[in-house]
Amino acid sequence: MLNLTIWIIVFIASLVALIKASDYFTDAAEKIGLFLKMPAFIVGVTIVAIGTSLPELVSSIFAVLRNSSEIVVGNVIGSNIANIFLVLGISAIIGKKLKIGFELMHVDLPILMASALYLAVTIWDGVFTWGEGVLGLAGLVVYILYTVNTEREDKHTKTKKA
């Protein structure tokens, strides 16, 4: 019983530390975005997305260093499933109605499907090579650049109309 109590206390303390750290992180991301004169959307897509993925990256690096690379695949797939369906489900339940715009339907969703297909194809043989990793990172860079440019064009178009 004492062992369970200790782990409950550790869990609660960890949860409090995680919540406080996320507050600091989002505040710092906002300050960085304001300093760099970046729109809030870009800050969310880049800084916050990368920051929230760092725990998975660190655990994946440790898994690879201990020759347990199968944990990495489970980590990536599980994280994607949670991010997509948990966030989407909670948003649909709590929110009034989700409005799906052109960008989401015709750009983001196909890219999401393509990245899932890319992962499936690259791990089909049981080996994820260095080159496949570089190609995946290149895809991420292209998507981020596309998102930044699209956001800037939208902002430029909106200022001209106003």
Side-chain angles (χ1 to χ4, degrees):
M1 183 66 178
L2 180 64
N3 195 20
L4 179 62
T5 306
I6 290 171
W7 283 111
I8 290 172
I9 292 170
V10 168
F11 174 74
I12 292 170
S14 299
L15 195 57
V16 168
L18 180 65
I19 291 169
K20 195 65 178 163
S22 67
D23 284 341
Y24 287 135
F25 179 77
T26 52
D27 289 344
E30 181 182 9
K31 288 177 184 174
I32 290 170
L34 290 173
F35 177 76
L36 297 175
K37 296 179 180 151
M38 294 171 57
F41 175 76
I42 301 301
V43 172
V45 168
T46 55
I47 298 172
V48 174
I50 291 168
T52 55
S53 297
L54 282 178
E56 284 116 0
L57 177 63
V58 171
S59 65
S60 295
I61 289 171
F62 280 113
V64 168
L65 292 175
R66 295 189 178 170
N67 292 324
S68 299
S69 58
E70 61 276 356
I71 292 174
V72 176
V73 175
N75 195 358
V76 169
I77 293 170
S79 175
N80 282 333
I81 290 170
N83 286 338
I84 294 166
F85 293 116
L86 186 63
V87 171
L88 186 63
I90 290 173
S91 299
I93 290 170
I94 294 174
K96 294 177 182 166
K97 285 189 178 181
L98 294 176
K99 293 182 182 179
I100 299 174
F102 179 84
E103 286 290 317
L104 178 65
M105 196 66 173
H106 293 89
V107 177
D108 294 329
L109 193 57
I111 289 174
L112 174 66
M113 294 299 169
S115 66
L117 179 64
Y118 175 74
L119 177 65
V121 168
T122 57
I123 65 172
W124 189 264
D125 61 356
V127 178
F128 192 78
T129 65
W130 185 85
E132 292 167 339
V134 169
L135 189 58
L137 288 174
L140 174 66
V141 168
V142 168
Y143 177 70
I144 289 173
L145 291 174
Y146 170 79
T147 304
V148 168
N149 288 333
T150 303
E151 184 67 23
R152 284 186 183 156
E153 288 174 10
D154 288 348
K155 186 178 179 183
H156 183 67
T157 305
K158 287 178 185 175
T159 56
K160 278 189 170 181
K161 288 181 181 177

